Structure formats: structure tokens, C-alpha cells
């Protein structure tokens, strides 16, 4: 079974530029998550989709971050404009169903460096 | 608040058992306890989960206290490949499967 695919693996941009990350979840997984992980910290949930609807985006900085999940499958996360503090690993995860028991599968992440 | 509390770091020797504690004193009756681990340069990986009873799988065992305010992840024989950050995560209730990660425990395994 193929895992969660993310691209690119690494990205370096200058502050105030824009950047986009792509995620392809495991086939059939209804729930998709985007997490931000700053060095030395645990992952922080940015947004959670159930199919193509948003379940939770309470910690998404909506003035600069946006995310969409077209047709309930692939998803993109965009930052525009980027700030230095956005340097982090961006992790995508997916899970089959949304219940109290939720085994999430994570991709390898995209490491973003903003200079 | 889905807060859990874990020690910042622990150490073990190879082939010895490791007990990783987690406190979740405000847990509700419908919250599950999940454990994930994160190897260097990898995304988190599911280890085990439970609700009330102790659980075993091929990777580890999960012991949940009777009052459910704490739990312990047990690695029966640590290997060098078990060196990782281990996260104890609560999920359930109305959180729609939301996984809220804390700082985790950095496990170092010595040969």
C-alpha cells in the first residue's frame, strides 16, 4: 500500500515570497491533516479536512496560509507571503475514518527554509 | 484542552525494557490514548492506541491506569532503531479525530 506522498521534500525561499506544498493521501482516506512542525517541537495541526470540507482550521494563520482539498483527494497548502518564522517541516497525514480511534498515516514532510 | 504531559527525555540500554509514562489527568470518558513515534527526518508513525484496557501489538504494549489519568508505553526489548521521539496523544469526543501533539519524550537507546 502506497503511503502519503508529499512534494517537494525541501524548499528554500526568501521572505515575502509565496510557496505551495502538495499532498496525495492514501487512497480511500477521507480525512486529511496538515501539520506544522518547528524544530524541537511537536507537530501543530494547521487544518483538518473531512473529504473536501474543513473540519478544523482554528490554528491556521488565515492572513497568509490557505489550503484546499480538491475533489476530496489531493491537497495543497500555500503560504503567501512567507515570513522567517514559517521555517518548519510541513507534514501531511491522512486517516481512513474520523472517530475516536483514528490511526493517522504521515508523509515524510516538506522542509521549508525562509531566508 | 487535549493536553498530555511526558518527560522530556529518557535513556535505555539495548535489549532492556523501556517504560514511557504519560499523564492525561483531564481525559474524558470517550477519549482514546494514542502513541506515535517520530524517527529522525521522518513523519510520526502510529505505535498503539487504547481506551480502557491494556493493549498489545507487535510493536509495543500500552498500560492504561484504572482511573485513565495516566498511561505507559512499554517497549519490551529496546533496539537502536527504537531511538525516536515518542508522543502520547489524546483524541476522541467532539474533536473529530484531531491529534494534538505535545513535546514528546526523546528516547535514547545505548548499545
Amino acid at each position: 500500500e502506497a503511503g502519503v506522498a508529499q512534494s517537494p521534500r525541501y524548499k528554500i525561499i526568501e521572505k515575502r515570497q509565496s510557496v505551495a506544498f502538495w499532498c496525495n493521501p492514501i487512497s480511500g482516506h477521507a480525512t486529511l491533516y496538515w501539520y506544522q512542525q518547528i524544530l524541537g517541537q511537536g507537530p501543530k495541526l494547521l487544518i483538518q479536512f473531512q473529504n473536501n470540507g474543513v473540519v478544523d482550521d482554528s490554528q491556521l494563520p488565515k492572513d497568509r496560509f490557505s489550503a484546499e482539498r480538491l475533489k476530496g483527494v489531493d491537497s495543497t497548502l500555500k503560504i503567501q507571503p512567507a515570513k522567517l518564522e514559517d521555517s518548519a517541516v510541513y507534514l501531511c497525514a491522512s486517516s481512513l475514518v474520523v472517530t475516536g480511534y483514528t490511526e493517522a498515516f504521515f508523509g515524510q514532510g516538506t522542509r521549508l527554509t525562509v531566508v | 484542552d487535549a493536553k498530555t504531559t511526558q518527560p522530556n527525555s529518557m535513556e535505555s540500554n539495548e535489549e532492556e525494557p523501556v517504560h514511557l509514562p504519560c499523564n492525561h489527568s483531564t481525559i474524558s470518558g470517550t477519549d482514546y490514548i494514542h502513541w506515535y513515534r517520530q524517527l529522525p527526518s521522518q513523519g510520526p508513525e502510529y505505535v498503539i492506541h487504547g481506551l480502557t484496557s491494556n493493549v498489545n501489538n507487535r510493536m509495543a504494549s500500552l498500560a492504561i491506569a484504572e482511573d485513565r489519568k495516566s498511561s505507559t508505553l512499554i517497549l519490551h526489548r529496546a533496539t537502536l532503531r527504537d531511538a525516536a521521539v515518542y508522543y502520547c496523544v489524546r483524541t476522541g469526543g467532539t474533536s473529530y479525530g484531531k491529534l494534538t501533539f505535545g513535546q514528546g519524550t526523546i528516547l535514547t537507546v545505548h548499545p
Side-chain angles (χ1 to χ4, degrees):
Chain A
E1 180 183 78
V4 175
Q6 290 188 247
S7 67
R9 284 297 311 277
Y10 306 93
K11 190 74 175 178
I12 301 174
I13 61 172
E14 295 182 349
K15 59 183 179 184
R16 291 187 288 275
Q17 286 187 323
S18 63
V19 64
F21 312 125
W22 173 80
C23 174
N24 185 17
I26 293 173
S27 177
H29 280 197
T31 305
L32 185 146
Y33 311 79
W34 282 103
Y35 283 85
Q36 179 193 60
Q37 187 170 26
I38 293 172
L39 187 65
Q41 299 181 15
K44 182 182 85 170
L45 180 68
L46 293 176
I47 189 167
Q48 178 180 344
F49 291 95
Q50 173 71 6
N51 295 309
N52 60 352
V54 176
V55 174
D56 187 335
D57 63 355
S58 58
Q59 296 194 88
L60 185 73
K62 298 180 184 64
D63 58 333
R64 297 184 301 106
F65 286 65
S66 64
E68 60 180 4
R69 188 178 185 196
L70 299 176
K71 300 180 181 179
V73 183
D74 292 7
S75 178
T76 56
L77 176 69
K78 298 179 181 178
I79 307 175
Q80 181 178 11
K83 294 184 176 181
L84 296 177
E85 58 261 36
D86 297 331
S87 294
V89 175
Y90 290 84
L91 295 161
C92 179
S94 69
S95 63
L96 185 60
V97 294
V98 176
T99 62
Y101 156 57
T102 304
E103 178 183 349
F105 295 83
F106 284 79
Q108 289 191 297
T110 296
R111 182 177 298 278
L112 174 67
T113 302
V114 182
V115 298
Chain B
D1 181 7
K3 184 174 176 62
T4 61
T5 305
Q6 301 177 249
N8 289 332
S9 63
M10 293 187 65
E11 297 187 16
S12 174
N13 294 318
E14 206 174 7
E15 301 295 313
E16 291 184 353
V18 181
H19 291 233
L20 298 166
C22 178
N23 286 318
H24 29 80
S25 58
T26 61
I27 195 169
S28 74
T30 57
D31 283 354
Y32 282 79
I33 301 299
H34 292 244
W35 283 81
Y36 283 77
R37 71 179 185 182
Q38 188 171 24
L39 302 171
S41 300
Q42 300 290 323
E45 171 190 34
Y46 167 84
V47 177
I48 199 167
H49 79 280
L51 184 61
T52 57
S53 303
N54 294 344
V55 184
N56 300 293
N57 67 20
R58 63 176 180 83
M59 291 182 69
S61 295
L62 176 60
I64 301 174
E66 194 170 338
D67 62 7
R68 301 208 330 119
K69 293 184 177 181
S70 65
S71 62
T72 302
L73 178 71
I74 303 166
L75 306 179
H76 296 284
R77 294 180 65 186
T79 70
L80 297 178
R81 289 175 294 179
D82 291 323
V85 180
Y86 285 78
Y87 296 99
C88 170
V89 182
R90 288 167 46 180
T91 185
T94 59
S95 65
Y96 295 96
K98 176 179 177 179
L99 299 173
T100 302
F101 290 83
Q103 291 284 94
T105 297
I106 300 171
L107 176 65
T108 301
V109 180
H110 299 289

